[in-house]
Amino acid sequence: MVRFFLERDRVADLVKHLMERRTVYAPHRKGRRSFAFARTADPAAVVLDYPRTLHSVKKFFLPPREELLRFDLTDDTFAAGEPEPSGAAFLGVHSYDVAAVRRLDHNFSAGNAERNYLVRRQGAVFIGVGFEPDKFHFSGSVGIEPDDTAGCDAFLTKLLDGYVLEILTPTGRELLKGLELPPYEGNDPPAHPFQQHIYVPQSRLGRIMDKSYEHPVWAEASRTCVGCGTCNLVCPTCYCFDVQDHVDITATGGSRERTWDGCMLRGFSEVAGGEVFREGLPERQRHRVLRKFKYLSDTTGVPWCVGCGRCTAACPAGISIANIVNRLVGDAERTPVAPI
Amino acid sequence: MTRKPRVAIFDFTGCEGCELNQLNFEDQLLDILAHVDIVEWREAMDDRAGEYDIAFVEGSLSTPDCIKRIHDVRRRAKVLVALGTCAVTGGVNAVKNTRPIEEVREEVYGQDKYLFPTLPALPLSAVVKVDHNVRGCPMTQIEFLKVFTALVMGKRPIEPDYAVCVECKLRENECVLERGMICLGPVTRAGCDAHCPTVGQYCIGCRGLVSEPNIAGMEEILVDHGLSLDDARRRLQLYNANQLEGAK
Ligand code: SF4
Ligand code: SF4
């Protein structure tokens, strides 16, 4: 592991260096108080010190809206879209978002491989950056620390006067070659404590969730939940989508489009004939939480929630997934869990 | 397709903003005409036909005469499409339904009130079967064309039943609640592609509600963001008086 010192004034040099070699996506300001990953045109516009972006980098591999194919009704033919490998440098990604990409890699390659995602994912280089947890982050409780470098090719950790730049993979070394930086010989930068936690004994989480099916918390959370689906749509590990065909006004052709969808939305569980199999908001909330902490975790051994806090920060009703989980854990721990 | 579908367009109580909007479609109008015969359209032509494959109906029902006419339209139309929020929910017109009808009549027409019979403003669906909706105040060309194309192709148009929040998120907008605004997007039916929040405005709910809105939850959200409960209710009522209160 090689560590360099990147003086604050030289951050722009790093961005320029990357831009000369690859397309760069990095956090930029968006709106009045928000941040979003965007293609970098001006090194000075990159923001490395931010709480969280509106969407994670997922949007580059699984776009919110995507044309899957175009069809021609005059000769009954169609042509599938050809996604391009991203090959981009993703600069300033937080550890939980890289962890989320790794979970999506699993979702889209296990079983039926999802071509479009996997093609776009090719060649992506991640240069992570540490973060200071705010009142919503709780990734530490699911094993993802702010300075966790897993999945990154290089990693930046903030100091008072700049960053420690750590090179982690041959790809990272190759990409950063030529950027003349002094080595960093100081101490490890201090770790930032989390303000939010979920109190889950990871080994018992599965059993706790098993017992949660009839818990009153689902109905309680649904008192103010309006079923808007925001929590699904901002989640870096949600990957459900809907597919619809659209015919052009000329009626000679059209397109098949894929759009992000979410299990909090009524239409998501509506099936042929109009039956809605997860009838109310309590059932949908339960499903959302169990998708993050049970169903996928039972088979993979890791929670599918990466503790980014987006769903809670963005919920108009202020519903907190950490509070829901803590309620379940608290109640389950009070009642003895039967031995397996 | 053996013959072109016969299309008729009618208006009831409303500002006719929805119909006028259609006339602005110069670019697409020729494409539309290639697929249908427009057989009745009060605003644009003078030709009264007997039967229609598709009737587009704008406006809410607010007089005894409206009720008679909508039954007539329904009898003659194979498919009836409500055009614009007035037709779909009763729209802004229905705000009057929150007060006793005699009081409203007196306030508007004064001593001439006996010349103007009036009813609570109702959506078309309160009186006849409506097959499809094009929402919005006014409805947008894009949505009209989507429904129109689906019908001409013999497909069922897809009406979104999720909140404006969804479209905001698909566009990665900063939430306007985040800017201290009060937004009805969380319970308002999407389809507008979150037009207002995208240009920095809040959603006033002009498209009506999603099919199973949590109104108590929405009121609580609005109160948490600084409105009094009365103001929260008034905001929600602007386009949804019939859905929230029922006619008085
Ligand atoms: S963001 Fe909040 S209000 Fe919207 S569906 Fe999720 S929990 Fe419910
Ligand atoms: S469930 Fe919420 S906190 Fe967990 S990864 Fe998804 S958005 Fe982040």
Side-chain angles (χ1 to χ4, degrees):
Chain A
M1 184 172 64
V2 207
R3 306 211 290 182
F4 297 98
F5 176 56
L6 178 71
E7 221 181 306
R8 185 170 322 150
D9 289 348
R10 294 207 53 203
V11 170
D13 292 345
L14 166 68
V15 182
K16 261 183 244 151
H17 178 93
L18 295 171
M19 285 171 71
E20 280 158 14
R21 285 156 184 82
R22 298 200 181 220
T23 300
V24 175
Y25 295 108
H28 292 66
R29 295 196 166 276
K30 173 139 190 184
R32 237 170 267 177
R33 305 169 44 182
S34 307
F35 302 89
F37 274 93
R39 185 169 180 160
T40 302
D42 169 14
V46 171
V47 186
L48 290 178
D49 199 359
Y50 65 98
R52 65 179 57 66
T53 48
L54 292 165
H55 285 323
S56 70
V57 289
K58 172 182 84 178
K59 67 178 181 180
F60 296 106
F61 312 126
L62 182 73
R65 289 185 169 129
E66 172 179 11
E67 187 176 287
L68 294 177
L69 57 85
R70 283 204 62 81
F71 51 83
D72 188 329
L73 293 166
T74 57
D75 59 5
D76 282 344
T77 55
F78 71 90
E82 287 300 332
E84 305 247 318
S86 103
F90 294 88
L91 172 66
V93 189
H94 289 170
S95 54
Y96 50 78
D97 276 350
V98 179
V101 170
R102 285 148 63 93
R103 282 162 174 74
L104 293 176
D105 289 348
H106 171 86
N107 292 133
F108 286 125
S109 48
N112 265 340
E114 211 294 313
R115 185 191 68 139
N116 288 17
Y117 172 91
L118 293 172
V119 169
R120 289 204 181 89
R121 182 66 183 81
Q122 279 169 27
V125 179
F126 294 105
I127 301 166
V129 69
F131 64 96
E132 250 177 81
D134 68 4
K135 61 180 179 179
F136 299 115
H137 293 109
F138 58 92
S139 66
S141 309
V142 289
I144 306 164
E145 294 299 327
D147 58 0
D148 191 335
T149 61
C152 292
D153 298 286
F155 199 88
L156 295 159
T157 311
K158 200 173 159 202
L159 301 166
L160 281 177
D161 48 355
Y163 290 89
V164 181
L165 172 63
E166 222 174 292
I167 311 266
L168 298 153
T169 64
T171 312
R173 190 180 318 124
E174 182 60 33
L175 180 59
L176 293 167
K177 202 160 59 189
L179 186 70
E180 299 295 330
L181 293 176
Y184 178 74
E185 269 140 17
N187 297 328
D188 281 351
H192 297 287
F194 280 91
Q195 305 173 40
Q196 174 67 286
H197 304 270
I198 51 175
Y199 299 98
V200 328
Q202 290 228 16
S203 57
R204 293 199 299 282
L205 188 61
R207 281 152 72 201
I208 291 166
M209 290 293 152
D210 278 344
K211 299 195 343 180
S212 71
Y213 217 68
E214 306 297 342
H215 199 279
V217 74
W218 311 123
E220 285 162 28
S222 303
R223 196 177 54 82
T224 50
C225 170
V226 287
C228 65
T230 293
C231 47
N232 293 136
L233 296 160
V234 298
C235 180
T237 65
C238 273
Y239 58 96
C240 292
F241 52 77
D242 189 23
V243 175
Q244 286 183 7
D245 288 350
H246 301 282
V247 180
D248 304 337
I249 179 69
T250 53
T252 53
S255 62
R256 174 162 297 174
E257 250 177 53
R258 160 158 93 175
T259 316
W260 288 355
D261 203 344
C263 57
M264 290 304 292
L265 301 170
R266 184 182 176 278
F268 183 83
S269 48
E270 186 175 345
V271 290
E275 169 88 359
V276 177
F277 59 82
R278 269 190 292 277
E279 261 188 0
L281 289 168
E283 289 81 22
R284 290 174 213 152
Q285 189 68 258
R286 176 174 64 203
H287 185 76
R288 174 172 85 97
V289 175
L290 294 186
R291 283 294 290 181
K292 300 298 162 196
F293 288 99
K294 176 172 166 52
Y295 302 140
L296 288 154
S297 319
D298 280 356
T299 52
T300 60
V302 287
W304 233 245
C305 168
V306 293
C308 70
R310 284 189 179 90
C311 54
T312 308
C315 172
I319 292 164
S320 155
I321 194 164
N323 289 352
I324 292 178
V325 172
N326 287 337
R327 252 310 278 296
L328 294 172
V329 173
D331 286 356
E333 298 287 79
R334 236 168 280 142
T335 352
V337 182
I340 309 169
Chain B
M1 212 180 296
T2 46
R3 79 177 164 82
K4 291 181 182 178
R6 293 156 62 84
V7 169
I9 298 162
F10 300 93
D11 62 290
F12 287 81
T13 309
C15 68
E16 302 192 5
C18 293
E19 281 191 32
L20 290 174
N21 222 331
Q22 279 182 51
L23 282 172
N24 290 339
F25 293 3
E26 279 111 22
D27 287 352
Q28 287 100 347
L29 200 58
L30 288 177
D31 282 332
I32 294 182
L33 292 174
H35 296 294
V36 298
D37 281 330
I38 296 190
V39 293
E40 191 161 329
W41 186 353
R42 201 211 58 170
E43 230 177 274
M45 54 195 289
D46 216 357
D47 177 14
R48 315 198 96 232
E51 306 239 308
Y52 333 109
D53 292 299
I54 311 169
F56 289 104
V57 184
E58 181 214 38
S60 64
L61 308 173
S62 67
T63 66
D65 184 54
C66 292
I67 308 277
K68 235 174 65 203
R69 276 174 60 219
I70 192 65
H71 278 300
D72 183 46
V73 171
R74 179 69 266 194
R75 257 195 305 277
R76 298 198 277 152
K78 289 204 186 102
V79 173
L80 190 151
V81 183
L83 217 62
T85 297
C86 290
V88 178
T89 74
V92 178
N93 304 334
V95 170
K96 75 169 183 178
N97 302 357
T98 60
R99 295 166 56 189
I101 194 75
E102 276 313 307
E103 196 183 301
V104 176
R105 204 168 155 198
E106 185 138 352
E107 190 170 319
V108 176
Y109 299 113
Q111 51 182 354
D112 292 334
K113 69 176 183 178
Y114 296 104
L115 300 176
F116 299 98
T118 182
L119 299 171
L122 297 174
L124 307 183
S125 60
V127 177
V128 295
K129 178 172 173 281
V130 171
D131 300 297
H132 306 289
N133 296 314
V134 182
R135 289 166 182 263
C137 177
M139 62 142 195
T140 65
Q141 305 176 3
I142 298 170
E143 284 188 83
F144 172 79
L145 290 173
K146 268 191 192 155
V147 171
F148 179 87
T149 319
L151 291 174
V152 170
M153 298 290 299
K155 289 181 57 166
R156 192 169 67 93
I158 300 164
E159 186 182 10
D161 187 14
Y162 44 78
V164 172
C165 289
V166 169
E167 291 174 338
C168 242
K169 296 301 162 292
L170 293 178
R171 300 182 71 156
E172 204 177 6
N173 289 338
E174 176 180 57
C175 180
V176 300
L177 291 170
E178 192 68 21
R179 305 186 189 183
M181 289 186 188
I182 303 273
C183 187
L184 295 189
V187 289
T188 299
R189 206 183 273 250
C192 53
D193 209 10
H195 179 82
C196 296
T198 303
V199 298
Q201 280 305 319
Y202 53 89
C203 170
I204 58 172
C206 85
R207 313 173 46 77
L209 299 165
V210 292
S211 67
E212 289 170 8
N214 177 359
I215 293 300
M218 189 64 220
E219 284 172 353
E220 201 165 318
I221 292 172
L222 295 175
V223 168
D224 272 351
H225 284 83
L227 288 192
S228 70
L229 187 56
D230 273 353
D231 284 344
R233 295 208 161 130
R234 263 194 292 276
R235 281 233 187 179
L236 282 161
Q237 255 173 12
L238 186 59
Y239 284 99
N240 305 299
N242 282 320
Q243 291 64 37
L244 297 179
E245 308 284 329
K248 280 213 172 78

